[in-house]
Amino acid sequence: MSSRQGSFSLGHAVPAAIQVRHQRSLEQILDFEHRPLDAAERLRAEQIFSRILAVSATAIDGSSPFDPVCLLQLSLEKNPSERGKDNFLNYVLRNYDDGPGDDLSVVPFLQVLDRLDGEVTRWLSSPPSWVGERTTELAYYLVHFFFLPFRGQATKTPQPTPHLTPIGDSRRGHTPLLDRISNLRATCLARDSHRCVVSHFFDQATAEGRDPAIDDSGLPLDDDGTISTEVAHIIPHALGEATNEDSPLDSWKATFWDIMKLFNPQAEQLLDGIGIDKPFNAMTLSLDLHRSFGNLKWYFDEEPEPHAYIFKKTPGTRLFLFRVLRPQNQRGRVEFTSATMTDLPDRGLLALHRACALIVGLSGAGEYMDKVLRDSEDIRQGNCERLESGTLNLGALVSWRLALC
């Protein structure tokens, strides 16, 4: 983009003009059909990107509560999809291109790389301040419109009693949505042997409904071996709910799914409509592990065997997340299986969750997001003391309107 007017102020909000510009350019680039990069082209794009980040590191003053350069670097390094990496490089590098006009979606990407190659060499000798500002803009745009919604909406799923019932069964007084979640809870519980997949404790409500109290293998249960569980989505259920096309919330969701294409281009189609409430996007977890998983405090790391993972804390997480585990899970390993032929959690979606957890954890954005969410909760609860004292980060809250919806 050629326009460099209006420097980005670190009031920790994303100004409306920047939101509009990034959204327009993102839509234009994603709407235009781009062929995948070959290995040499991707390497060249990555090298140019790395040099731009080196320029940015010297041009940014360090006042940001997280590291914008690190966040962008990790967004490429931890990106779980080759096509996602192509989309990410295509979108991000066009934001630094000094070509004519604002609509660069029809300009061949290799032409963008040719122009940037010469520009970046000049920037390295005398780093322009606008390059650092653009890097900061991009980082905050990703945080406010992708990582924060991912995290802020993660535990807002209703948890109706698990039952396998026809959708919209009026006799139960359920809406189709509640029936869908109820079915999902029941399906995941049966697939996961009525246990939290990480702690391996048995679902307490199921145990209380059995006489005698036995697990799915016929072994007896005791009070110490049960726990309350919930159905936990990998990609938050709330981000797939339709409201109405004119609502600000739906506008945020549209932006979220556009940015998703920079990390997993297939996810939107996979999760479209009721797909977000399918078993491949969910699992059974205890209440505390569900909340911390949704908050990106831990993730599943792939093992070589199909559907096998090691669960790990996100860097910077100080919580004792795994202090209580059944003997079967002391090694921290989870292998998803299904005796009911139900879909297992999707490997690509778990890889996306892992990438998000590592990006926000290693860049320091996780702590910044924690503060925004705490401030949002204070406003919801009418904490007038903090409003009057000026310690609430109102700029970020105005930018992240989704937290207030």
Side-chain angles (χ1 to χ4, degrees), residues 303-309 333-336 344 347:
E303 289 278 272
E305 300 86 354
H307 307 296
Y309 305 86
R333 193 172 189 272
V334 171
E335 186 170 357
F336 290 102
L344 300 176
R347 205 165 181 87

Side-chain angles (χ1 to χ4, degrees), residues 192 195-201 284-285 289 298 300 309-312 321-336:
D192 300 334
R195 293 182 180 274
C196 167
V197 299
V198 169
S199 70
H200 215 67
F201 282 92
T284 304
L285 289 175
L289 288 174
W298 63 274
F300 290 96
Y309 305 86
I310 298 292
F311 48 86
K312 297 181 178 180
L321 297 175
F322 309 121
R323 60 188 181 279
V324 181
L325 298 175
R326 298 287 287 175
Q328 297 90 327
N329 260 19
Q330 289 295 331
R331 293 187 300 128
R333 193 172 189 272
V334 171
E335 186 170 357
F336 290 102

